[in-house]
């Protein structure tokens, strides 16, 4: 089995190293990841400058681009093979609900999915990030399952794992995305020159976190697996908008 890994935290990130170690028993691992932290890069492609690839001492390739660039390049020309599966992560931090729209971790997997390859995004949910191995084991089991019983349809899985020892995980649940409240305000400050600068503030708290959502699963110490799709069409509004345009 040929497994391509990427992430958005950068090629040096501890979660990526654990992911590579965890999946090594299942096949040949190739890593193509950003040269620096590109968290929040979403599905962006770099179109205004050339991309370059370097080979790190541990065998990982790293690219001066986004997570999407990495997977796109890897699959469409850099590698001389097509991966059987793509796994992105393990992200240091959750990617639940609305996060999935901004996430570079999810974006790397989305790019694989758009290129027709089963793809999985892995994120570790917590503050300490002491248990990447738990997420590594979940990733291992999912990839092994994909190899043993392939799904008939293209698949994009968004997986969030609580930052606890594997034995403390309460369940593995298939969920839908919850929703967050509006993001918190930008944080304003001064740079050393006295100029005003802004940092994007934290994501909003969970708003729609009822039974069946990713937030709800994590709240109870369970792993959340959400199957994603890419079509953003608001199907129910097609008629409304058509009527509004015709008025
Ligand atoms: Mn990240």
């Amino acid at each position: 089995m040929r497994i391509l890994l990427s992430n958005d935290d950068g090629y040096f990130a501890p979660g990526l190293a654990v992911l590579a170690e965890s999946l090594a028993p299942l096949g040949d691992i190739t890593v193509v990841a950003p040269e620096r932290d590109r968290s929040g890069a979403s599905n962006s492609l770099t179109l205004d400058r050339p991309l370059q690839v370097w080979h790190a001492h541990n065998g990982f390739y790293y690219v001066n681009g986004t997570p999407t660039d990495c997977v796109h390049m890897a699959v469409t020309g850099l590698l001389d093979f097509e991966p059987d599966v793509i796994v992105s992560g393990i992200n240091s931090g959750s990617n639940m609900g609305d996060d999935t729209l901004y996430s570079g971790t999810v974006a790397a997997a989305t790019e694989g999915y758009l290129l027709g390859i089963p793809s999985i995004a892995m994120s570790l949910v917590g503050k300490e990030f002491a248990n990447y191995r738990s997420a590594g084991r979940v990733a291992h089991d999912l990839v092994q399952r994909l190899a043993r019983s392939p799904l008939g349809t293209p698949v994009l899985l968004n997986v969030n794992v609580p930052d606890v020892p594997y034995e403390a995980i309460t369940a593995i649940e298939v969920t839908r995305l919850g929703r967050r409240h509006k993001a918190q305000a930008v944080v304003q400050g001064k740079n050393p020159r006295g100029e005003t600068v802004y940092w994007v503030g934290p994501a909003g708290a969970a708003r729609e976190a009822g039974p069946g959502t990713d937030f709800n699963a994590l709240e109870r110490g369970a792993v959340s697996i959400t199957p994603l799709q890419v079509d953003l069409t608001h199907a129910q509004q097609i008629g409304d908008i058509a009527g509004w345009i015709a008025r």
Side-chain angles (χ1 to χ4, degrees), residues 70-155:
C70 291
V71 172
H72 190 86
M73 282 175 65
V75 175
T76 65
L78 179 64
L79 307 179
D80 57 3
F81 62 89
E82 174 148 304
D84 298 301
V85 60
I86 296 175
V87 188
S88 174
I90 301 162
N91 190 57
S92 55
S94 67
N95 279 306
M96 300 191 287
D98 313 14
D99 305 338
T100 51
L101 283 176
Y102 302 98
S103 167
T105 306
V106 175
T110 301
E111 188 63 14
Y113 170 76
L114 290 173
L115 292 166
I117 300 165
S119 298
I120 304 172
M122 300 293 310
S123 301
L124 190 65
V125 182
K127 290 252 154 43
E128 305 294 323
F129 307 121
N131 298 279
Y132 283 111
R133 302 217 162 267
S134 301
R137 189 159 159 193
V138 171
H140 170 279
D141 293 351
L142 285 171
V143 170
Q144 191 173 52
R145 189 176 293 269
L146 263 180
R148 285 184 183 157
S149 42
L151 288 150
T153 52
V155 65

Side-chain angles (χ1 to χ4, degrees), residues 24-221:
L26 298 177
D28 298 326
I29 307 290
T30 305
V31 178
V32 183
E35 65 171 353
R36 63 183 175 88
D37 185 351
R38 300 304 301 268
S39 295
S42 190
N43 301 84
S44 52
L45 282 170
T46 300
L47 302 177
D48 60 345
R49 57 182 173 82
L51 296 170
Q52 276 186 272
V53 183
W54 294 273
H55 210 184
H57 64 86
N58 63 355
F60 292 6
Y61 292 102
Y62 61 101
V63 176
N64 57 341
T66 65
T68 299
D69 289 329
C70 291
V71 172
H72 190 86
M73 282 175 65
V75 175
T76 65
L78 179 64
L79 307 179
D80 57 3
F81 62 89
E82 174 148 304
D84 298 301
V85 60
I86 296 175
V87 188
S88 174
I90 301 162
N91 190 57
S92 55
S94 67
N95 279 306
M96 300 191 287
D98 313 14
D99 305 338
T100 51
L101 283 176
Y102 302 98
S103 167
T105 306
V106 175
T110 301
E111 188 63 14
Y113 170 76
L114 290 173
L115 292 166
I117 300 165
S119 298
I120 304 172
M122 300 293 310
S123 301
L124 190 65
V125 182
K127 290 252 154 43
E128 305 294 323
F129 307 121
N131 298 279
Y132 283 111
R133 302 217 162 267
S134 301
R137 189 159 159 193
V138 171
H140 170 279
D141 293 351
L142 285 171
V143 170
Q144 191 173 52
R145 189 176 293 269
L146 263 180
R148 285 184 183 157
S149 42
L151 288 150
T153 52
V155 65
L156 171 58
L157 302 180
N158 184 43
V159 182
N160 283 273
V161 179
D163 185 13
V164 297
Y166 187 82
E167 298 68 33
I169 291 173
T170 56
I172 295 183
E173 299 181 359
V174 181
T175 60
R176 63 187 161 85
L177 298 180
R179 293 293 307 275
R180 286 189 185 277
H181 284 287
K182 212 167 67 167
Q184 295 179 39
V186 288
V187 181
Q188 195 176 321
K190 296 280 184 201
N191 73 10
R193 292 189 176 122
E195 299 157 337
T196 302
V197 295
Y198 301 88
W199 283 95
V200 169
R207 168 166 64 89
E208 190 183 321
T213 64
D214 46 5
F215 290 114
N216 192 272
L218 269 290
E219 195 104 306
R220 288 176 289 99

